[in-house]
Amino acid sequence: MADAIKVLLVDDHQVVRRGLRTFLEVQDDIEVVGEAADGAEGVALAGELQPDVVLMDIKMPGMDGVEALRRLRELDHRARVLVVTSFTEQRTVIPALRAGAAGYVYKDIDPDALAGAIRSVHAGHVLLQPEVAGALLSQEESGSGAGRAGSLTEREREVLGLIADGRANREIARALVLSKKTVKTHVSNILMKLDLADRTQAALWAVRHGISG
């Protein structure tokens, strides 16, 4: 399975990991390359196994999922992280997304939908269940971004539209014939001007305000 999506499972419940592995191993385009029982082990294995997608629980003993997400981002790891959890509270959702999660789904998700979610985040898309997106937009409305679209340059609007389409920096650079460093600067300026925390909030803001690539 040379072209399969390599997936790392990070969950403190062995039964959950076993269930996920059993289902995912029957998918032709997905390969489970490892399992970890907590965040610290997950970060270590991500460095060793170089997965494409990490399925990450949030509440785990020792290093939890949010801290593991922060560590992976600090290490500039290429893996996209899909949070798979039973926790629905906004106080859990928001920190995970701000820490760099590419998606957030619940453990009662339909198995086929989970496989689709893995493929989606691997392709560069931001994937949130409706109530999760609602929680994030609710917070954005309470104090950030609204009415500031006019502060963006035309190039920044183009970059924001491509973020909303789920494009990574290297894809944006290719599409707009820019260097990756220039794209990073544009992304930083967008987040600062709109007072947003991360790309996930930027993507949702763009969708809500009708900006697309």
Side-chain angles (χ1 to χ4, degrees):
M1 293 191 292
D3 297 326
I5 301 169
K6 296 187 292 183
V7 173
L8 172 64
L9 309 177
V10 184
D11 194 295
D12 60 316
H13 292 99
Q14 184 177 8
V15 172
V16 173
R17 298 198 309 272
R18 184 178 300 151
L20 289 170
R21 178 183 280 274
T22 298
F23 168 70
L24 294 176
E25 284 184 339
V26 303
Q27 304 297 313
D28 292 337
D29 60 340
I30 296 174
E31 177 187 7
V32 177
V33 295
E35 299 180 22
D38 59 41
E41 186 182 6
V43 171
L45 282 179
E48 177 185 336
L49 300 173
Q50 294 296 304
D52 300 307
V53 176
V54 178
L55 298 191
M56 181 84 73
D57 192 12
I58 289 295
K59 298 295 185 182
M60 295 181 286
M63 184 188 291
D64 66 12
V66 173
E67 182 58 28
L69 275 158
R70 293 191 185 112
R71 293 288 297 277
L72 287 171
R73 185 166 64 179
E74 288 169 4
L75 294 168
D76 199 24
H77 199 283
R78 69 182 183 86
R80 304 270 290 171
V81 179
L82 176 62
V83 171
V84 184
T85 185
S86 55
F87 291 89
T88 62
E89 300 94 337
Q90 186 169 326
R91 60 186 174 84
T92 303
V93 173
I94 301 302
L97 294 173
R98 284 185 168 174
Y104 196 110
V105 298
Y106 300 135
K107 285 184 176 176
D108 61 358
I109 187 173
D110 178 81
D112 289 329
L114 177 59
I118 291 170
R119 297 180 185 111
S120 182
V121 298
H122 178 250
H125 302 296
V126 174
L127 189 143
L128 305 175
Q129 291 191 272
E131 56 270 42
V132 176
L136 196 58
L137 283 172
S138 174
Q139 188 188 66
E140 180 253 303
E141 285 174 348
S142 70
S144 62
R148 298 187 179 182
S151 68
L152 298 178
T153 66
E154 187 60 36
R155 179 64 85 189
E156 287 164 354
R157 289 178 68 91
E158 289 176 333
V159 171
L160 180 58
L162 292 171
I163 290 174
D165 288 345
R167 305 285 192 92
N169 282 359
R170 64 181 178 278
E171 295 172 313
I172 295 173
R174 191 179 307 122
L176 300 179
V177 195
L178 300 171
S179 70
K180 286 198 291 184
K181 184 176 180 180
T182 298
V183 172
K184 271 186 92 170
T185 299
H186 284 314
V187 173
S188 295
N189 289 340
I190 289 165
L191 297 181
M192 179 185 67
K193 288 181 177 181
L194 300 181
D195 192 22
L196 300 174
D198 52 40
R199 295 172 72 95
T200 302
Q201 284 195 356
L204 287 170
W205 192 97
V207 170
R208 187 171 183 274
H209 291 85
I211 297 175
S212 60

